[in-house]
Amino acid sequence: MKRREFLVVGGAMAASMALPARAAYPEKPVRMIIAFAPGGESDIGARQQQIVFRRLFGQEMVIESKAGAGGALAWSTLNTYPGDGYTVMGTNLPHIVLQPLEGNVQYKTEDVTNVHFYQYTPDAIIVRAESPLKTYADLVKASKEGQDKVTFAGSGTNSANHVAHTRLNRLMGTKTTYVPFKGTGDLVSSVLGGHVTAAMSYNTLALTQKGKMRMLAVASEKRLAAFPDVPTFKELGGDWVDGAYRGVGVPKSTPEDLRKRISDIFSEINRDPEFRQKMADGGFELIDVTYDRMPAFMAERTKAYLEIARMMGLAK
Amino acid sequence: MELLANLQLGFGVALAGTNILYCFIGVLLGTLIGVLPGIGPVATIAMLLPATFVLPPVSALIMLAGIYYGASYGGSTTAILVNLPGEVSSVVTCLDGYQMARNGHAGKALAIAAIGSFFAGTVATLLVAAFAPPLAELALKFGPADYFSLMVLGLIAAVVLAHGSLIKAVAMIVLGLLVGLIGTDVNSGVARYSFGLPELIDGVGIGPIAMGIFGFGEIIRNLEHGQKRDVFVKKVTGLMPTWQDLKVSALPIVRGTTLGSALGILPGGGPILGSFSAYTLEKKLAKDPSRFGKGAIEGVAAPESANNAAAQTSFIPLLTLGIPSNPVMALMIGAMIIHGIQPGPQIMTAKPDLFWGMIASMWVGNLLLVVLNLPMIGMWVKLLTLEYRFLYPAILIFCCIGVYSINNTWMDVILAAGFGFIGYLFGKLDCEAAPLLLGFVLGPMMEENLRRALLLSRGDPAVFVTRPISATLLVLAVLLLVIVAAPAVRKKREETFVEEE
Amino acid sequence: MKHLIKNPRDFWSGVMFLAIGALFAGIAFTYKLGTAARMGPGFFPFVLGIILAVLGVAILLAAMRDRNKGPGVEKFHWMPVFWVLMPIVVFGFGLKVAGMIVMGLFVVIVSSIGSEDFKLKPTVWLAIGLVIFCSLSFVAGLKLPIPLCPGLDFFEQFALCRV
């Protein structure tokens, strides 16, 4: 083990001494490990980047799926890869903050070195088209009357959806029930079939189910272009801008200038007009949290999640 | 007559020169990869997805769908030839298909699987074309309580799979249910029986279990007897089924198709339940049920038809509701989004050429499968005449790579080896593995839906009998239990009687 | 004791089910059980474990009755178990370190020793052929993320190893 650590450190030093070569990064295919199954939103986002990456930088970005334990399987191995910039990993918020709190996983939030967050899908409350609940006010009224009879389907326990539901209960002053499902795909039929009152999910669900489902409120900064009639929680009187953030992390041994370079690369992909259009069509809201702004961003996010986690009994 | 116009549009798209070529490439690749143990359709589609970026969306999706049918068909081929189920739903095919191969009837088994699949595919495609939206609405009526009752019915049906002791079959199901519970509990987030290993947080995969218990276990059994089994199968008779075989298989194929089509619509476990229950039904209807498990041709025809029918109808929730009913469908949704198509209910009206083109290509794909596979049967059967000392190391290396590539983790390889030992042990103790596998697949879904139903009813167990669907299924389950248990009870009585004389 | 067991196969399966059931139920006890209405994570496995143990006892007792007489348990052949499963385990642990080429040759050659009529020469040719086939079809063709060469910097310089 000692020897291995030594090798890693040694490798990092050797890499940082070879500065001139750095300007040419990337010189060979970059491996992007995605912590979720192919076909999921993280995978789709990465595959869209893959196309632009090849066009802009002339190298292949190879996507490798290492799904398991809600992403924890991949993240707990992040620092075992060489820090040469040719292995990067997709990272997700709030997962990397909440999972270590829960205690089942073998990594800490600090073990994941995020260099860039490039997109997020805002939290959203969604009901089926036939639902009598037309507006957020209807939902609040029904929840106050029905309390735990009102049910919200969400993906996973102690997950982003679970956090959002807790936050919603606090905002509405109610005690509605959270019903966990394995994934967003699993909960669709329960929502459409009317077996649950609503879904606590993301805007992307409303987009794929347009016509069959209705979004009541969304946790974005401004109203979404695809849903100009749906109010944000900010308008409804809540301080709630959140969702699932996707970004990229590197092994701890990656030198500073490479981290910056990777951050710049993903910023550049985010600026590509064709890419912007495709992502907007898919319901992904683009953001640009660059490496230099990372510490402040992570501190702010972590504080917000910890507050909710305390309410859920996850953290003290 | 709108249907005819739609189908015409669909076939126009599916038969267009390049599309039929991509369909063929997909089916061919799928078959070849499906034959290699362990490399399932999910891995294949994920790997080939980037290659489809350059294609027009319709062609890309047609090709991906072709890979899906091809791979599930290839999975049955290995089930019959070497007792390696390519996926869960072909576990049932192992039971009689492999025995047919041992008896020298591999060709017949493969041919009847192809014919049954084609018939099932044709019927199911028509069903999808004509009734997709109403069928999808029907599937939505199933709530958590109803799913739980459906699982109960499925588990009772699983008992019939065994041909030995009834009580041991029940114990094997319960054991399967328990193994299925390994991993994170959806309701509480607690990792159960994972012993702190991150690889076990998601539970044990079906791949390592099926490959270990069926594949590795069988190889050890073949090697142990110090036998001079130079050639795996002594004589190979009749590559093609006789007229008699076809007559015997005709009704099982129809019944399998019906069951498979119906169960395939339900998200989660459709094809598995379809093939298992089709086998159960045939065994119950047979004049001489003791033939099953020893190479009965109906035991291949029915589940293979059901399996394929369900594979087609599982497109219904995807195409009409945007609901992925299995990991392959989830990947198809991803492929659509990457190609700039928004999957979901609006796809039928927004992209009629894609919608009907895909449906028509399902039938074209099935036709291509038959055309491609019937001539290949001779080649597969020749493979069996290879000396076993060359055959089994080859199977082992493919299995190792295959099982590793499911999740790219070493843990699955080790688990498969462990289950290989368990499978060998089961053989020694006369414990049949098929019921265990069904329990394993259904266990987590059963617990999830049970607890979800109780969460929604706030702890009131009455939901299971007050909901009409659930109540009906439970009544059916009780009826089936009586039918299953009755002969065993009667037999016991007779035995006691004989003893007293 | 021995003469009491009329059906050894059933008897020992009963013992196996009892042991596994008890094990699962015992571990389930360490998770929250909850109540039937609000089940904790331990409830379902606990109940199933108990059921399995009870079934095990029933099978075991039935095997001690005269009218259930059955054949004895066949001899366990440890050699094929070893020669088939050991290379798989080594493959699992060694793939990341040694790469597919080395491990593939290992699996094919070593597992062949389990065969009655093992001959080294044809086996080696078979192993080489299979490894080439697997490298071409899985790694080069399907691009499965499987390391081909040992994970040492030295091999990095070969184009073949950088797939």
Side-chain angles (χ1 to χ4, degrees):
Chain A
M1 211 55 228
K2 277 265 156 64
R3 191 179 131 77
R4 205 185 191 169
E5 273 162 27
F6 171 77
L7 279 178
V8 170
V9 174
M13 278 166 63
S16 50
M17 276 183 284
L19 266 180
R22 192 66 47 69
Y25 176 89
E27 289 179 310
K28 59 176 190 176
V30 175
R31 179 159 65 147
M32 169 79 136
I33 300 171
I34 295 295
F36 294 93
E41 276 157 2
S42 297
D43 179 70
I44 293 171
R47 284 183 197 277
Q48 306 279 26
Q49 288 169 335
Q50 182 183 34
I51 301 169
V52 188
F53 186 88
R54 186 194 301 140
R55 179 154 46 80
L56 294 184
F57 304 100
Q59 284 293 347
E60 213 48 60
M61 185 168 107
V62 182
I63 294 172
E64 192 177 312
S65 148
K66 194 170 175 62
L73 198 57
W75 296 320
S76 53
T77 63
L78 175 59
N79 288 333
T80 64
Y81 291 101
D84 57 2
Y86 291 102
T87 303
V88 298
M89 195 180 275
T91 62
N92 299 58
L93 277 177
H95 310 57
I96 55 168
V97 175
L98 291 177
Q99 285 176 352
L101 285 179
E102 198 191 345
N104 274 334
V105 299
Q106 300 183 334
Y107 71 91
K108 295 195 190 66
T109 306
E110 308 85 78
D111 292 340
V112 181
T113 312
N114 300 292
V115 294
H116 195 255
F117 278 101
Y118 32 71
Q119 48 182 257
Y120 85 116
T121 41
D123 296 326
I125 303 171
I126 295 157
V127 295
R128 65 171 176 162
E130 298 89 340
S131 168
L133 307 175
K134 304 285 179 214
T135 62
Y136 176 70
D138 291 346
L139 179 76
V140 176
K141 193 161 160 268
S143 302
K144 290 228 159 100
E145 284 163 8
Q147 289 292 349
D148 62 343
K149 262 191 236 170
V150 174
T151 50
F152 286 85
S155 165
T157 303
N158 300 335
S159 58
N161 290 165
H162 199 173
V163 165
H165 175 258
T166 309
R167 192 177 258 176
L168 177 68
N169 261 347
R170 183 176 65 172
L171 191 66
M172 300 195 299
T174 55
K175 284 197 170 61
T176 60
T177 306
Y178 178 72
V179 184
F181 284 75
K182 255 203 185 114
T184 304
D186 280 355
L187 62 82
V188 177
S189 59
S190 271
V191 177
L192 286 178
H195 304 291
V196 290
T197 315
M200 187 72 243
S201 187
Y202 306 115
N203 65 323
T204 40
L205 175 64
L207 204 63
T208 46
Q209 292 292 334
K210 217 170 188 173
K212 294 262 177 181
M213 288 192 190
R214 180 169 58 237
M215 193 149 84
L216 297 184
V218 61
S220 54
E221 195 72 46
K222 306 187 295 252
R223 291 193 179 200
L224 302 176
F227 298 93
D229 303 329
V230 178
T232 63
F233 281 107
K234 270 196 158 171
E235 296 172 44
L236 296 166
D239 172 29
W240 184 357
V241 177
D242 200 1
Y245 292 82
R246 294 180 196 85
V248 61
V250 294
K252 245 194 181 102
S253 54
T254 313
E256 284 289 317
D257 57 334
L258 254 182
R259 298 181 185 187
K260 276 196 205 88
R261 173 81 180 121
I262 293 168
S263 174
D264 292 346
I265 282 178
F266 282 98
S267 288
E268 206 172 325
I269 294 176
N270 257 6
R271 282 195 295 272
D272 183 79
E274 199 182 313
F275 177 76
R276 292 190 78 86
Q277 184 58 44
K278 271 192 170 171
M279 295 309 277
D281 289 347
F284 296 88
E285 298 294 309
L286 297 180
I287 49 171
D288 198 32
V289 183
T290 47
Y291 182 63
D292 49 314
R293 294 202 294 135
M294 193 53 70
F297 179 77
M298 281 302 288
E300 179 236 319
R301 288 285 95 189
T302 310
K303 193 171 151 255
Y305 296 135
L306 278 177
E307 198 184 317
I308 304 287
R310 236 170 264 134
M311 292 176 58
M312 292 164 69
L314 259 180
K316 275 160 226 119
Chain B
M1 281 311 95
E2 209 189 333
L3 177 64
L4 277 184
N6 285 331
L7 281 179
Q8 201 179 356
L9 168 70
F11 277 103
V13 175
L15 294 176
T18 47
N19 284 346
I20 196 168
L21 179 72
Y22 288 120
C23 187
F24 179 77
I25 296 175
V27 166
L28 180 70
L29 276 175
T31 310
L32 291 178
I33 290 157
V35 167
L36 299 166
I39 313 255
V42 178
T44 313
I45 294 182
M47 293 308 153
L48 294 178
L49 198 53
T52 68
F53 286 165
V54 289
L55 303 180
V58 181
S59 309
L61 288 169
I62 283 178
M63 182 171 139
L64 293 175
I67 295 174
Y68 174 49
Y69 321 133
S72 48
Y73 185 85
S76 321
T77 306
T78 45
I80 291 171
L81 292 176
V82 287
N83 205 31
L84 263 177
E87 53 185 319
V88 205
S89 41
S90 42
V91 164
V92 195
T93 312
C94 281
L95 299 178
D96 278 277
Y98 180 62
Q99 291 307 323
M100 284 182 78
R102 296 299 296 260
N103 299 339
H105 300 307
K108 272 186 196 177
L110 289 170
I112 209 74
I115 295 166
S117 294
F118 177 66
F119 176 81
T122 309
V123 172
T125 306
L126 275 175
L127 266 180
V128 176
F131 304 113
L135 285 177
E137 289 295 322
L138 194 69
L140 286 183
K141 296 269 186 293
F142 271 69
D146 310 317
Y147 270 108
F148 172 75
S149 302
L150 180 71
M151 303 294 152
V152 173
L153 180 62
L155 286 182
I156 291 176
V159 177
V160 188
L161 289 171
H163 49 262
S165 152
L166 193 71
I167 185 167
K168 272 161 99 178
V170 177
M172 289 299 273
I173 293 179
V174 177
L175 181 56
L177 288 170
L178 279 169
V179 176
L181 296 183
I182 295 174
T184 303
D185 167 35
V186 179
N187 283 278
S188 63
V190 171
R192 296 182 294 196
Y193 305 104
S194 64
F195 307 106
L197 290 167
E199 285 84 1
L200 282 182
I201 286 184
D202 278 340
V204 182
I206 187 77
I209 295 192
M211 219 174 276
I213 293 186
F214 283 84
F216 297 165
E218 179 64 19
I219 290 175
I220 302 173
R221 271 191 290 281
N222 282 336
L223 289 177
E224 73 177 356
H225 290 302
Q227 85 291 44
K228 275 279 168 205
R229 197 185 277 133
D230 280 351
V231 176
F232 181 57
V233 176
K234 267 148 210 113
K235 56 177 190 349
V236 174
T237 49
L239 274 185
M240 286 295 139
T242 61
W243 189 236
Q244 181 60 27
D245 291 331
L246 286 177
K247 239 163 73 184
V248 173
S249 311
L251 278 175
I253 289 177
V254 173
R255 286 189 289 254
T257 305
T258 318
L259 270 175
S261 310
L263 289 166
I265 303 163
L266 300 173
I272 308 157
L273 279 177
S275 60
F276 272 87
S277 55
Y279 186 87
T280 306
L281 183 68
E282 289 316 313
K283 197 171 166 186
K284 272 290 135 198
L285 290 175
K287 282 203 192 86
D288 177 16
S290 66
R291 286 192 304 116
F292 280 77
K294 292 171 193 155
I297 196 163
E298 306 99 296
V300 178
E304 273 303 299
S305 314
N307 182 359
N308 204 42
Q312 312 292 322
T313 52
S314 63
F315 272 90
I316 291 181
L318 173 77
L319 288 173
T320 57
L321 302 171
I323 299 174
S325 50
N326 57 44
V328 177
M329 293 301 134
L331 209 49
M332 295 289 281
I333 288 193
M336 286 188 186
I337 295 176
I338 288 166
H339 280 284
I341 299 161
Q342 197 53 254
Q346 76 282 6
I347 202 171
M348 208 188 314
T349 41
K351 299 251 173 202
D353 58 325
L354 177 92
F355 182 84
W356 294 102
M358 269 190 80
I359 289 178
S361 85
M362 289 180 187
W363 187 78
V364 177
N366 275 287
L367 181 69
L368 288 175
L369 263 182
V370 175
V371 175
L372 190 72
N373 276 288
L374 283 181
M376 262 155 69
I377 288 175
M379 188 186 97
W380 294 131
V381 174
K382 254 210 194 86
L383 208 67
L384 285 187
T385 57
L386 264 177
E387 282 184 54
Y388 197 62
R389 64 180 167 126
F390 294 135
L391 192 57
Y392 82 87
I395 297 174
L396 283 184
I397 176 85
F398 290 146
C399 282
C400 282
I401 294 175
V403 83
Y404 175 83
S405 69
I406 300 175
N407 289 316
N408 298 320
T409 158
W410 57 275
M411 190 61 167
D412 283 346
V413 185
I414 308 297
L415 280 173
F419 280 105
F421 179 73
I422 293 173
Y424 181 63
L425 181 71
F426 283 164
K428 291 285 172 204
L429 295 175
D430 273 346
C431 293
E432 289 161 73
L436 177 138
L437 246 81
L438 190 61
F440 170 79
V441 174
L442 297 186
M445 285 195 256
M446 198 169 160
E447 189 201 13
E448 218 180 294
N449 282 298
L450 171 67
R451 288 168 67 181
R452 191 174 293 146
L454 289 174
L455 193 60
L456 287 173
S457 74
R458 282 167 303 151
D460 181 10
V463 279
F464 297 106
V465 285
T466 51
R467 287 187 59 92
I469 302 179
S470 166
T472 315
L473 290 168
L474 285 180
V475 169
L476 282 176
V478 172
L479 276 178
L480 187 63
L481 195 64
V482 172
I483 299 173
V484 172
V489 175
R490 211 182 305 129
K491 205 166 126 206
K492 212 166 245 171
R493 275 223 207 98
E494 278 163 18
E495 276 170 12
T496 339
F497 203 59
V498 173
E499 239 173 279
E500 277 163 25
E501 267 180 345
Chain C
M1 182 67 194
K2 199 138 203 186
H3 64 278
L4 276 176
I5 305 168
K6 311 290 188 207
N7 187 333
R9 292 190 190 182
D10 280 11
F11 181 84
W12 292 113
S13 1
V15 172
M16 176 181 77
F17 290 131
L18 172 62
I20 300 177
L23 185 73
F24 267 95
I27 298 178
F29 223 76
T30 63
Y31 309 127
K32 260 198 211 111
L33 286 186
T35 61
R38 273 207 164 269
M39 292 181 192
F43 191 89
F44 207 65
F46 180 73
V47 172
L48 284 177
I50 296 293
I51 293 178
L52 186 63
V54 169
L55 286 170
V57 171
I59 294 169
L60 179 160
L61 288 178
M64 290 166 50
R65 299 176 65 172
D66 245 344
R67 60 181 173 81
N68 289 329
K69 234 182 186 127
V73 179
E74 272 179 53
K75 193 176 160 275
F76 237 80
H77 292 79
W78 289 105
M79 287 322 274
V81 171
F82 177 78
W83 290 118
V84 171
L85 298 184
M86 182 272 286
I88 301 174
V89 173
V90 173
F91 181 93
F93 283 118
L95 184 65
K96 273 267 160 68
V97 189
M100 206 267 280
I101 296 176
V102 176
M103 282 291 108
L105 294 172
F106 180 81
V107 167
V108 177
I109 295 172
V110 174
S111 68
S112 294
I113 302 174
S115 166
E116 273 255 295
D117 36 8
F118 169 71
K119 284 188 203 82
L120 187 63
K121 216 170 155 191
T123 307
V124 169
W125 283 116
L126 175 74
I128 292 172
L130 282 171
V131 165
I132 292 176
F133 175 79
C134 290
S135 311
L136 287 180
S137 57
F138 298 126
V139 184
L142 280 175
K143 303 222 184 319
L144 295 181
I146 293 174
L148 270 184
C149 308
L152 292 174
D153 289 346
F154 170 74
F155 291 96
E156 274 284 295
Q157 54 185 303
F158 303 111
L160 176 83
C161 297
R162 271 187 269 127
V163 214

